[in-house]
Amino acid sequence: MEHPSRRGVLGGAIAVAAVAATGVTGGTAWAKPGETPTLWREFEETPYTHPQIPYIARAGARSGTRHLPRRKVVANVRDYGAKPDGTQDAAPAINRALAEAGAKGGGTVVVPPGEYRIDGIIRIAHDNVVLQGAGSTRTTLHATKNLTELIGPYGSRYGGDKSSWSWAGGLIWLCPQPRYDALTTAIKAKVWPFEGWTGNKRDEWETLTTTAPAKRGDRTLKVADTSRLHKGDLVLLRLADDADHTLLEHMAGGGEGPESYTWDDKTKLTSYVPYEWPVRITSVKKSAGTGTGAVTLERPLPLDVRPEWDPRLTTHVKALTGAGVEGLTLEAVETPQSPHLLDKGYNGVTFQCAYDCWADDVVVRHVDNGFGLVSASACTVRRTRVAGRGSHHPYFCREGSHDNLIEDFRIDDRTVPAPSGTQLHGINVEGLSSYNVWSRGDMRMGTFDSHRGMPFANVRTDITVNNNGRHGGDASAGPLFGARFTHWNIRVTNERAGLMRIDGLAPYSTTVGVNEVREFDQIDVPDFSGDLHSRIELYGTTGVVRPRNLYEGQRGVA
């Protein structure tokens, strides 16, 4: 493998930003016409099964549609008593309007221009309900309390004195009502719950059918019993690991490195298995005279389906679908950022057990954690910004979250210096989360935080980043990366290599179109030994790679 020099080629952050914004490259050392890498040509030939690049063209709500639903207006929070002058708590009025919209079958709840004080959690808990402000510059919700005050302390199910509000919950919380009730009841009882798709425990599900073997990229799955499957159903594909951890090896790309890795002592990682992937059924075909048949799925299979992993389609907790939040700013009362992992829960917008939901034109300010995806899939987070005094996790994606799209996002530089003992991550992904996309980002601070727990097949594309954050993750959570991570057209303004150039870290992965970078600050070594089978192209360039945006390029292929 060619190893280019570490000498930087950027003239500075201003030059990079100018190229990123305008595409103008005249006269500079990296000025070249657009170049199409070999990897892209390969991908066009095998879009669903490429060994290094994941197929992510259907990430996001409603398979990544550009046009999110527009629901009929059914309520105005002013009619429920919400005052736009910040003089009284508007949370009860907003929540009543949202609940009544849900009882009517959905619709848009409008929040007219103004500043609304909220002393409680805003709960979007019913399908097809949208909370819509007049725009992020015109409607502001001022949050006065944190989740510890409103619900109680939330310890970690893995022990220690950590606060789970460091990675869970939101002051605007999109979560189905029964799931929200079960979670908060357990937290108040100090019985720290599992946060995932099957309830507060891992075994709260029923088998719908077992399945036959299939390959990654297939959309049709043969099943033993079609009697409980219907077109339009949202189901979980559930894959359990075997004693030799061949499922985890497969997520890492397979081969000598993953096969020689020690998995048994990675107790936090193994607690994330079985792998659970929510997907909607688009058709059911029954075999004549038998109960067997086949189902076609909304998205191609993310992994092989093998008999040794006990593959089955199962039930899940009722998911929130078709809900959104739009056109507002959520501003928490400004407090100093808490010491690392002791966040009190001044959190922004969180999606939990949500599918086909979205946020659009939303700003959060002075928050501990910004936008969260917790066991959330097929959601779109668009035109969002994290601003103010600095955040622990500006964007977090965890606990088996898949197929989400975060696009046109921005992380502002902090307005006050970071207190001692705090941490800054950035765009976080962990906990076997897969096929998520971060696209068209402007990160004035933070990093590409792969937070262990072996996330795999995630894409970061067309992003400018001042790479000054640090990744986290317990050693017991296992590898930083599984297979098919892709960094495509990344502009690193401070030339720091860590978590940007990943050809020496991530197995079966890709770095394409990254300017020259050098190692300093947090420096990682690969988790897997031997040849990682990772590839790098157009290293030392800025804005040259074509397609410029991998997600948008894939949308035009298949």
Side-chain angles (χ1 to χ4, degrees):
M1 179 183 294
E2 181 182 357
H3 295 283
S5 84
R6 295 290 191 186
R7 182 175 57 86
V9 298
L10 293 181
I14 294 175
V16 174
V19 171
T22 67
V24 175
T25 56
T28 59
W30 62 87
K32 300 178 182 178
E35 295 187 25
T36 303
T38 300
L39 278 157
W40 175 253
R41 301 192 190 282
E42 292 175 359
F43 176 83
E44 288 182 302
E45 296 296 320
T46 58
Y48 305 118
T49 58
H50 193 278
Q52 280 93 9
I53 299 177
Y55 176 77
I56 41 81
R58 290 178 176 267
R62 300 164 68 93
S63 293
T65 180
R66 298 301 306 169
H67 303 290
L68 296 170
R70 289 292 172 257
R71 311 286 187 209
K72 177 182 177 182
V73 173
V74 296
N76 183 321
V77 300
R78 294 285 305 276
D79 296 334
Y80 290 76
K83 302 295 185 185
D85 58 4
T87 59
Q88 64 184 50
D89 179 16
I94 295 172
N95 284 326
R96 282 197 303 272
L98 290 167
E100 289 195 18
K104 295 175 181 176
T108 296
V109 175
V110 295
V111 189
E115 298 189 0
Y116 300 81
R117 194 183 91 212
I118 58 169
D119 299 340
I121 300 165
I122 302 302
R123 301 187 305 278
I124 303 176
H126 299 88
D127 293 349
N128 303 318
V129 172
V130 178
L131 181 66
Q132 183 183 83
S136 59
T137 61
R138 302 181 66 204
T139 297
T140 299
L141 307 183
H142 285 287
T144 64
K145 297 183 179 180
N146 58 57
L147 294 170
T148 300
E149 294 174 282
L150 295 169
I151 296 174
Y154 188 2
S156 170
R157 70 177 186 262
Y158 299 103
D161 60 355
K162 301 171 184 176
S163 167
S164 284
W165 297 130
S166 299
W167 52 75
L171 292 170
I172 299 177
W173 201 335
L174 293 91
C175 181
Q177 191 67 51
R179 189 75 185 101
Y180 176 88
D181 291 342
L183 283 165
T184 55
T185 297
I187 293 166
K188 290 173 182 177
K190 294 183 168 47
V191 180
W192 313 131
F194 172 64
E195 298 161 289
W197 285 101
T198 59
N200 287 356
K201 298 180 180 179
R202 288 304 305 253
D203 57 357
E204 295 180 346
W205 51 271
E206 297 177 17
T207 297
L208 297 171
T209 182
T210 56
T211 82
K215 291 292 188 180
R216 175 170 67 93
D218 290 349
R219 285 189 60 200
T220 298
L221 194 57
K222 293 181 179 179
V223 297
D225 182 5
T226 60
S227 63
R228 298 181 65 187
L229 305 177
H230 307 90
K231 179 180 178 180
D233 285 354
L234 183 65
V235 297
L236 284 185
L237 172 67
R238 186 179 188 273
L239 301 176
D241 207 359
D242 59 14
D244 294 326
H245 299 296
T246 60
L247 175 60
L248 289 172
E249 291 173 4
H250 178 56
M251 292 174 180
E256 181 179 343
E259 288 173 3
S260 63
Y261 184 79
T262 301
W263 300 99
D264 284 332
D265 63 349
K266 308 303 186 295
T267 53
K268 192 170 184 178
L269 171 63
T270 54
S271 77
Y272 298 145
V273 182
Y275 176 77
E276 293 164 340
W277 181 61
V279 66
R280 202 174 298 282
I281 294 173
T282 59
S283 70
V284 179
K285 185 176 181 180
K286 300 179 181 180
S287 299
T290 71
T292 63
V295 295
T296 301
L297 305 175
E298 184 177 27
R299 291 175 172 82
L301 288 172
L303 295 165
D304 289 352
V305 173
R306 301 179 186 174
E308 55 265 36
W309 301 331
D310 188 26
R312 56 189 64 220
L313 300 180
T314 76
T315 62
H316 51 84
V317 296
K318 182 187 181 303
L320 181 70
T321 63
V325 55
E326 303 174 347
L328 57 81
T329 289
L330 172 67
E331 182 171 314
V333 59
E334 186 171 359
T335 59
Q337 186 177 345
S338 296
H340 190 222
L341 300 178
L342 297 178
D343 295 349
K344 296 176 181 176
Y346 288 108
N347 295 349
V349 179
T350 292
F351 298 80
Q352 186 155 8
C353 295
Y355 194 94
D356 276 341
C357 295
W358 66 90
D360 188 13
D361 182 29
V362 176
V363 175
V364 297
R365 185 174 287 114
H366 302 321
V367 292
D368 292 339
N369 302 283
F371 292 87
L373 297 156
V374 182
S375 293
S377 291
C379 293
T380 293
V381 178
R382 177 180 295 164
R383 298 191 301 162
T384 57
R385 182 161 63 100
V386 180
R389 49 84 157 160
S391 301
H392 180 192
H393 296 101
Y395 292 83
F396 57 99
C397 178
R398 53 179 295 271
E399 205 77 19
S401 290
H402 314 289
D403 303 303
N404 297 293
L405 172 63
I406 302 94
E407 65 178 356
D408 298 309
F409 67 94
R410 189 168 115 186
I411 302 173
D412 284 357
D413 200 0
R414 61 190 316 132
T415 54
V416 295
S420 176
T422 62
Q423 276 274 14
L424 164 66
H425 295 310
I427 53 175
N428 155 281
V429 62
E430 60 180 282
L432 300 185
S433 296
S434 64
Y435 293 84
N436 301 290
V437 180
W438 291 261
S439 170
R440 292 197 305 269
D442 179 2
M443 298 173 59
R444 312 290 174 88
M445 63 177 189
T447 193
F448 292 177
D449 174 26
S450 293
H451 209 91
R452 298 200 178 274
M454 203 171 70
F456 66 94
N458 296 285
V459 167
R460 288 95 171 225
T461 183
D462 196 8
I463 298 172
T464 300
V465 53
N466 178 31
N467 185 25
N468 63 358
R470 299 171 68 84
H471 78 74
D474 293 343
S476 65
L480 281 170
F481 302 95
R484 297 185 300 286
F485 258 82
T486 299
H487 290 178
W488 188 283
N489 190 15
I490 306 301
R491 302 167 292 275
V492 189
T493 62
N494 63 348
E495 301 181 14
R496 178 180 163 217
L499 300 172
M500 302 291 127
R501 178 178 171 176
I502 56 174
D503 56 300
L505 289 175
Y508 287 92
S509 292
T510 299
T511 305
V512 176
V514 176
N515 56 268
E516 284 194 33
V517 289
R518 54 197 171 88
E519 291 182 349
F520 61 89
D521 193 30
Q522 189 178 41
I523 300 173
D524 292 293
V525 297
D527 292 290
F528 301 107
S529 60
D531 186 354
L532 294 178
H533 303 280
S534 283
R535 296 168 64 181
I536 185 168
E537 284 194 72
L538 298 180
Y539 175 66
T541 66
T542 299
V544 167
V545 61
R546 297 296 182 270
R548 178 185 179 89
N549 185 294
L550 181 62
Y551 173 72
E552 292 169 0
Q554 287 198 18
R555 298 277 292 178
V557 171

